Amino acid sequence: MTMQGRVLGLDIGGTKLAAGVCTEEGKLVSSGRALTDAALGPDAVITRAVSLAKEVAEKAGLSLGSLQAVGVGCVGAVEGETGVIVSAPNLPGWHQVPLGARLAQALGRRVFVENDAKAAALGEHRFGAGQGVRNSVYLTLSTGIGGGLIVEHRLWRGANGNAGELGHSTVAFDGRLCKCGNRGCLEAYASGTHIAARARERLAAGEPSTLGELAGGIDRVTSATVVEGVRQADPLSLSIWEETLAILAAGLANVVNIFNPERIILGGGVTRAGPLLFEPLRDKVAARALPQLMKVVSIVPAMLGDDVGVYGAAAVAFAHLASGG
Ligand SMILES: [Zn+2]
């Protein structure tokens, strides 16, 4: 049957939706995007997601019925087995939304839902930088820091589907306040949001820097501006970046020591810094982690780029199908 081995991947983010029909080999047969318009609330977002899913299936020349399953990556905390979105800070009004059941009803297919970072971890394992790797850890350094753990080729889900929240591991016990309520989370330093916030705080305190001019105003400084400042040898940018690398290295050294992975895969907007991030990072992690564990691990950029959402969602479906779930 030519229709075997195709799933629909659906990525539900705070600002955009993405969907695609994906083959087992990782070919995107069709894809599409739409704005989430999260302010309209869960019903409107689900309606949009359903029409986007139908649109990409049609674009691929396939009926929904010919797809094996639908995989979903969604921001927020997911009760994995049932596909209920418990809460999602970037999706206003989403509390205990039975996303999996709603989509299954509207699309007439089996639907498997996972948190978007965990979906991305599965996506990189199946189609990207983690292919063939038994034990890998994925982190997305983005607005926040999400993560997923691949243990023995499978997503490690933990007691209620939430394992891998590496962004909320504590790297400074009395440190900056995180949106989760804890102090000193990795996310409160090394996410794009907090890299920018740390720079803005020091600019506001009067530290000499060209960052304000570079961004067109202190309020407009982003993590990308800080990286540009590093390239231009702006002293404040260099100091912020050095601190970011040190804290990220501490977080990754914990990951190495706890999980003994063969690969750590970093994705998300902050990794656009490229060699400025990856070149110094390994030595800084090695300076903290145990040598015996450090010698088997590589720290690499994610491979799936902007398509990671759709590939990740598709990988969620394939993983469930493979395990007979
Ligand atoms: Zn936190």
Side-chain angles (χ1 to χ4, degrees), residues 47-114:
T47 303
R48 273 178 174 232
V50 166
S51 42
L52 180 64
K54 288 178 174 167
E55 188 187 307
V56 296
E58 199 172 309
K59 227 201 271 184
L62 297 169
S63 67
L64 285 169
S66 68
L67 297 166
Q68 282 186 299
V70 175
V72 181
C74 184
V75 290
V78 180
E79 200 75 51
E81 295 303 316
T82 53
V84 171
I85 307 301
V86 179
S87 67
N90 298 324
L91 295 173
W94 287 59
H95 299 288
Q96 302 294 340
V97 174
L99 179 65
R102 300 268 306 265
L103 290 173
Q105 192 181 30
L107 297 170
R109 306 311 300 153
R110 296 165 76 194
V111 175
F112 304 106
V113 184
E114 203 66 70

Side-chain angles (χ1 to χ4, degrees), residues 6 12 18-19 26 76 105 126 133 144 180 213 225 228 242 246 280 293 310 317 323:
R6 289 178 190 191
I12 301 180
Q105 192 181 30
R126 187 175 184 101
V133 179
C180 75
E213 290 101 86
T225 331
E228 185 51 36
E242 197 56 35
L293 291 83
V310 171
S323 67

Side-chain angles (χ1 to χ4, degrees), residues 168 178 180 185:
H168 301 287
C178 180
C180 75
C185 288

Side-chain angles (χ1 to χ4, degrees), residues 2-225:
T2 52
M3 295 306 161
Q4 284 289 319
R6 289 178 190 191
V7 302
L8 193 134
L10 176 61
D11 177 38
I12 301 180
T15 54
K16 65 174 175 35
L17 307 172
V21 172
C22 184
T23 69
E24 264 174 306
E25 296 75 35
K27 183 167 181 280
L28 276 187
V29 183
S30 70
S31 62
R33 281 165 193 259
L35 290 175
T36 309
D37 266 344
L40 299 177
D43 289 348
V45 172
I46 291 171
T47 303
R48 273 178 174 232
V50 166
S51 42
L52 180 64
K54 288 178 174 167
E55 188 187 307
V56 296
E58 199 172 309
K59 227 201 271 184
L62 297 169
S63 67
L64 285 169
S66 68
L67 297 166
Q68 282 186 299
V70 175
V72 181
C74 184
V75 290
V78 180
E79 200 75 51
E81 295 303 316
T82 53
V84 171
I85 307 301
V86 179
S87 67
N90 298 324
L91 295 173
W94 287 59
H95 299 288
Q96 302 294 340
V97 174
L99 179 65
R102 300 268 306 265
L103 290 173
Q105 192 181 30
L107 297 170
R109 306 311 300 153
R110 296 165 76 194
V111 175
F112 304 106
V113 184
E114 203 66 70
N115 163 271
D116 60 344
K118 292 166 188 46
L122 277 170
E124 289 289 342
H125 174 257
R126 187 175 184 101
F127 302 119
Q131 283 180 72
V133 179
R134 268 172 67 192
N135 299 292
S136 65
V137 175
Y138 171 84
L139 275 99
T140 173
L141 311 175
S142 183
T143 314
I145 295 184
L149 312 170
I150 302 292
V151 177
E152 306 295 331
H153 293 296
R154 297 171 69 132
L155 182 71
W156 184 258
R157 308 188 70 259
N160 70 354
N162 291 285
E165 288 293 349
L166 303 167
H168 301 287
S169 59
T170 304
V171 288
F173 81 93
D174 204 16
R176 292 171 65 82
L177 191 60
C178 180
K179 70 167 194 276
C180 75
N182 183 32
R183 283 196 175 277
C185 288
L186 182 59
E187 174 170 316
Y189 292 87
S191 63
T193 308
H194 280 276
I195 292 170
R198 281 160 46 227
R200 288 196 300 263
E201 285 161 20
R202 286 172 59 177
L203 282 167
E207 279 196 44
S209 169
T210 55
L211 262 184
E213 290 101 86
L214 210 54
I218 291 182
D219 292 347
R220 300 173 72 170
V221 170
T222 64
S223 62
T225 331

